[in-house]
């Protein structure tokens, strides 16, 4: 059961990072002058998502 939870956590993180990148590209297309702020926020948010996913994967594997 833990492996299923770890897989779901990895899948969710992949979808989340994909959406972050997609929305960041949309924002950059709308306001090219704000590219540095948008990029910095995108990287920070993606790092938080990856950190939470890594924690969920470890917990899932340890639980099963």
């Amino acid at each position: 059961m833990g492996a299923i939870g770890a897989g779901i956590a990895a899948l969710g993180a992949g979808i989340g990072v994909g959406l972050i990148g997609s929305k960041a590209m949309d924002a950059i297309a709308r306001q090219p002058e704000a590219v540095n702020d948008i990029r910095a926020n995108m990287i920070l948010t993606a790092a938080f998502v990856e950190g939470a996913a890594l924690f969920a994967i470890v917990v899932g594997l340890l639980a099963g």
Side-chain angles (χ1 to χ4, degrees), residues 32-61:
E33 66 276 2
V35 67
N36 291 329
D37 293 334
I38 295 168
R39 184 185 310 128
N41 287 330
M42 177 187 71
I43 291 170
L44 182 65
T45 306
F48 284 144
V49 169
E50 290 294 328
L54 181 63
F55 180 73
I57 290 169
V58 169
V59 169
L61 291 177

